[in-house]
Each structure stands twice: as C-alpha cells, then as structure tokens.
Amino acid sequence: MARIVMKFGGTSMAGTERIRRVARIVQRQQAAGHEVAVVVSAMAGETDRLVNFCREANPAFDPAEYDVVVASGEQVTSGLLALTLQALGCKARSWLGWQLPVATSDAYARARIETIDSAALLASMAAGEIAVIPGFQGVSHEGRITTLGRGGSDTSAVAVAAAVQADRCDIYTDVDGVYTTDPRIVAKARKLARVTYEEMLELASVGAKVLQTRSVSLAMKEGVRVQVLSSFIDDDAPPADSLPGTLIVSDEEVEGSKVERQLITGIAHDKNEARIVLTRVPDKPGAVAHIFSPLAAAGINVDMIIQNVSKDRGETDVTFTVPRADLARSMALLEGQQEEIGFNRVLSDAHVAKISVVGVGMKSHAGVASTMFKALADRGINIQAISTSEIKVSVLIDEDETELAVRVLHTAYGLDAVDAAV
Ligand code: ADP
Ligand code: ASP
Ligand code: MG
C-alpha cells in the first residue's frame, strides 16, 4: 500500500463530465489499495474570469480582497469532486485551506506555504476517506485567506505530499508528461520518461508552464517524487503506478535508470518579458547600480542584462529585461531618475520572447551555445540579448519568431521524435 497525492489541473476539472472522469481515476487509485488525497484547481478559465472581476471592481485592487475572490474557484471544484466521489459510492470530504490549516505567509496573491497540519488529513485517509483539498489557497497569520500565485495548485499538491510523506505526487494535466518542448508548439516534441529536479526547475523557471516553478523547488527540497501524467485517459489505460507519465526525481535516480541521457533536455519559451534600453549611460563606477537599485527597491525582477561599452565616448548602452507586467512601472521609475543615472534616452519593446535550452549535459560539454547561435543565424533570427547559467542558455528574440526558433533549435539539438507526424 502506498500513500498518493493526486493533483488535477483546470482543464481536467472543467465541467461535470470531466470531474466524473477525474472521480473515476481517483476511485481506481484507491481501489488499487492506496491512501489517497486529491488537490484540485479551479475549472479552466475560472481564475482568469475572477481576476478580471477584481480589475473591473478596482484597478488598484487590495491583494487581500483579490485572494478572497480568486480562491473561490478551487472551493467550488473541491466540493464538486467530493460530491461526485460520493455519488460513485466513495467516502470523500473536502478540506479548505483554513480547515487543515495550510498556513502561509501574509504576502497576499503570492503567499508562500509555511506549514501544513497533516493530522486531520492522515486520520481521514487512514479511515478510507478520500481527502479533497482546494489547491492555490491557504490562510495567513492574521487568519485571512491567501493564494499562492498563478499556477499555485501544483505547489499545494507537492506541499501536501511532503506533509503526509506521500510515496508519490501525481500531477494530472492535459498532456501525458513533460516533453522536450511544449508539444502544442512542436509536433515532433518527445516525451521524457524521467527528468531531474534541477532540469525541471530550470525548464519551469524559463517558461515551461507545465509545473509552477515553486512546486519543483519544493519537491527537490523535500525529496517528493513527482509524476506528470494525463487525466484524459480511458478506463482501461495503464495505471498511474506503472508510471506512464514523466517522473521528476533526483539526479541519482535518473543516472541509475536505463534512459539514455541527452545533452539537452528541453527547450522553453517565455513571452512574459519586455526589453528596456538606456542609451549613453556614463561609463563610470556606480552607474549601473543607479539603474538597478530603484528597480530592486520597487520589487521588479531584472533578468537578462547586457552592457555595450563604447570606449571612445566614455558612455555605454545598457539593455535588460523585466517582467512585461512591470514594464510601465519600470519606465516611469527610470524616467524619474534620468538626471541621477545620466542616460540620454530610455526605449522599450514588449514584442520580445526569451528562448532557453536546458540540460545538465552542458556542465561537461562545450559548444552548446554556439550550436544555438548558429542555428538561429542560419534562419536569420536576430539575438537581442543572451544569458547563461550552468545548465541553461537563453536568448532574447523578436516575439514573431518564437515558434520558428523553438522548432529550429529542437531539430538542431537532435531532439525531434523520429516517428511523429510533421
Ligand atoms: P493545468 O491546468 O493542468 O495546471 P497547465 O496549462 O498549467 O495545466 O500546464 C499544461 C500545459 O503546459 C500543456 O498543455 C502544454 O501546452 C504546456 N507545456 C509547456 N511546456 C511543456 C513541456 N515541456 N512539456 C509538456 N507540456 C508543456
Ligand atoms: N487556479 C489557479 C490558476 O489558474 C491555480 C492553478 O490552477 O494552479 O492560476
Ligand atoms: Mg498549471
């Protein structure tokens, strides 16, 4: 017997029929002899709808009240799944964030889980009851409802799995695993049997939205075995215990498997950044600090940075990226600091995309970046900025060339599936 936490995303929970399919998957998992807890997302599109209501009510909304509104989507689906399980003859009940409780920080709209009291859950599971938990929500120190940031139900599921010391956390979604790139963009993407925490963390953080980044760092920290798999399956599909999806596990476990290691694990894209260029910044100590200190103080995350030194003029151009949602705020801050920083002009472009290749193989292989630059150059794709880490190379390009760049790189690194339809 094992203890399994199952998480179902928004597409899987969208409507009565789909919830019934989910309930059957849960019922089968319990019938296989396991203790089961389920974490659910709101129905697809519901959180967006609720966010829009908040914006309409008050564009400068109070995040604590925003959380009251947006957390409601998961309350609905957790109750509906419990009802549907009961209709199938299962014992089931919902546990809202404040009832367990899932204790979080007070950072409304982007709260972090601090602790989960597992006592009630363990007792419920041991009694053969299926515990249904709304993802995305928790309760702050002052007893108000919080949410964990978009995509946060993945993190709820991993946190519950860690709290109940689950044998596995199965993340059910609308694709049957983690692929070498978004399978909705590249038909020749290949499903990966296993991915290391480190690689998945990097892939998620550069835009592979199949898992929320924080859920992967938590799984890595707590050693939670995660499987990504599809909920769109027939009743006679192979059981989750036979590991039909993608396992996200430690380096040692991947090394020990028979899966052939590729140099590059995957390619991701991110259209959520914008580029800012400051021209003719004085080339002297402290100039760059003058640019980035006000942005940091405003909580704006700067990602890629390049500085083009022009020796003859004693001036440089500084290019960097910020989240698109923070572009207007960043521009206003920089314009207000023109005299202190001493730049000539500030330009911005939101029509950009960041393309990243990720793989632990890079640690021991040279030439990964040059393959990328050459493949893009051969297609006439211009690179506007570059950044690297030990296991990742990212480039910034024109947004219109996103799909082309991902496809070209997928082929250049030999990742294309042989048998897929083109
Ligand atoms: P859920 O609603 O279940 O949380 P998401 O929409 O958040 O689902 O994540 C699943 C989606 O992630 C897929 O439909 C797919 O388009 C996208 N995706 C992006 N990159 C990848 C990848 N490398 N492998 C699999 N899916 C990916
Ligand atoms: N419903 C929330 C969202 O759409 C959380 C989640 O589904 O993971 O962001
Ligand atoms: Mg998701």
Short mmCIF file of all heavy atoms in Angstrom, two decimals, residues 7 9-10 41 150-154 171 173 209-212, ligand 3:
data_model
loop_
_atom_site.label_atom_id
_atom_site.label_comp_id
_atom_site.label_asym_id
_atom_site.label_seq_id
_atom_site.Cartn_x
_atom_site.Cartn_y
_atom_site.Cartn_z
N LYS A 7 -3.07 15.43 -8.13
CA LYS A 7 -3.50 16.82 -8.40
C LYS A 7 -4.10 16.90 -9.80
O LYS A 7 -3.54 16.34 -10.74
CB LYS A 7 -2.31 17.77 -8.27
CG LYS A 7 -2.66 19.23 -8.53
CD LYS A 7 -2.20 19.71 -9.89
CE LYS A 7 -2.75 21.08 -10.24
NZ LYS A 7 -2.24 21.58 -11.54
N GLY A 9 -5.47 19.54 -12.78
CA GLY A 9 -5.44 20.94 -13.23
C GLY A 9 -6.78 21.39 -13.78
O GLY A 9 -7.75 20.62 -13.85
N GLY A 10 -6.82 22.67 -14.17
CA GLY A 10 -8.06 23.31 -14.57
C GLY A 10 -8.78 22.66 -15.75
O GLY A 10 -10.01 22.53 -15.72
N SER A 41 -7.55 22.15 -8.97
CA SER A 41 -7.55 23.52 -9.47
C SER A 41 -8.99 23.95 -9.71
O SER A 41 -9.89 23.12 -9.78
CB SER A 41 -6.83 23.60 -10.81
OG SER A 41 -5.45 23.51 -10.66
N ARG A 150 -0.23 32.49 -9.57
CA ARG A 150 -0.85 31.71 -10.64
C ARG A 150 -0.12 30.37 -10.85
O ARG A 150 1.09 30.28 -10.77
CB ARG A 150 -0.87 32.52 -11.94
CG ARG A 150 -1.70 33.81 -11.88
CD ARG A 150 -3.15 33.57 -11.42
NE ARG A 150 -3.87 32.62 -12.21
CZ ARG A 150 -4.58 32.91 -13.30
NH1 ARG A 150 -4.65 34.16 -13.71
NH2 ARG A 150 -5.23 31.97 -13.96
N GLY A 151 -0.93 29.35 -11.08
CA GLY A 151 -0.37 28.01 -11.24
C GLY A 151 -0.04 27.35 -9.90
O GLY A 151 0.56 26.28 -9.84
N GLY A 152 -0.49 27.97 -8.79
CA GLY A 152 -0.06 27.55 -7.45
C GLY A 152 -0.61 26.23 -6.95
O GLY A 152 -0.13 25.70 -5.94
N SER A 153 -1.58 25.65 -7.65
CA SER A 153 -2.10 24.36 -7.18
C SER A 153 -1.05 23.26 -7.26
O SER A 153 -1.09 22.30 -6.48
CB SER A 153 -3.32 23.94 -8.00
OG SER A 153 -4.37 24.83 -7.78
N ASP A 154 -0.11 23.39 -8.19
CA ASP A 154 0.99 22.41 -8.26
C ASP A 154 1.76 22.43 -6.94
O ASP A 154 2.12 21.39 -6.39
CB ASP A 154 1.97 22.76 -9.40
CG ASP A 154 1.33 22.69 -10.78
OD1 ASP A 154 0.39 21.88 -10.95
OD2 ASP A 154 1.77 23.44 -11.67
N ILE A 171 0.75 14.59 -10.77
CA ILE A 171 0.16 15.83 -11.28
C ILE A 171 -0.53 15.51 -12.60
O ILE A 171 0.15 15.30 -13.63
CB ILE A 171 1.25 16.90 -11.51
CG1 ILE A 171 2.12 17.10 -10.26
CG2 ILE A 171 0.64 18.20 -12.03
CD1 ILE A 171 1.69 18.15 -9.29
N THR A 173 -2.65 16.39 -15.86
CA THR A 173 -2.89 17.59 -16.64
C THR A 173 -3.43 17.21 -18.02
O THR A 173 -3.96 16.11 -18.19
CB THR A 173 -1.60 18.45 -16.68
OG1 THR A 173 -1.86 19.65 -17.40
CG2 THR A 173 -0.43 17.71 -17.31
N LYS A 209 5.38 25.96 -18.72
CA LYS A 209 4.40 26.18 -17.65
C LYS A 209 3.72 24.91 -17.14
O LYS A 209 2.78 24.99 -16.35
CB LYS A 209 3.34 27.19 -18.13
CG LYS A 209 2.40 26.64 -19.16
CD LYS A 209 1.17 27.54 -19.27
CE LYS A 209 0.13 26.84 -20.12
NZ LYS A 209 -1.20 27.35 -19.96
N VAL A 210 4.20 23.75 -17.57
CA VAL A 210 3.55 22.50 -17.15
C VAL A 210 3.58 22.33 -15.62
O VAL A 210 2.68 21.73 -15.05
CB VAL A 210 4.13 21.29 -17.93
CG1 VAL A 210 5.62 21.14 -17.71
CG2 VAL A 210 3.41 20.02 -17.61
N LEU A 211 4.60 22.89 -14.94
CA LEU A 211 4.63 22.89 -13.47
C LEU A 211 5.02 24.28 -12.98
O LEU A 211 5.90 24.91 -13.56
CB LEU A 211 5.68 21.89 -12.95
CG LEU A 211 5.36 20.41 -13.09
CD1 LEU A 211 6.55 19.59 -12.59
CD2 LEU A 211 4.12 20.03 -12.28
N GLN A 212 4.39 24.71 -11.88
CA GLN A 212 4.81 26.00 -11.31
C GLN A 212 6.22 25.84 -10.74
O GLN A 212 6.53 24.84 -10.08
CB GLN A 212 3.84 26.43 -10.19
CG GLN A 212 4.00 27.91 -9.84
CD GLN A 212 3.39 28.29 -8.48
OE1 GLN A 212 3.41 27.51 -7.54
NE2 GLN A 212 2.87 29.49 -8.38
MG MG B 3 -0.80 24.60 -14.23
#
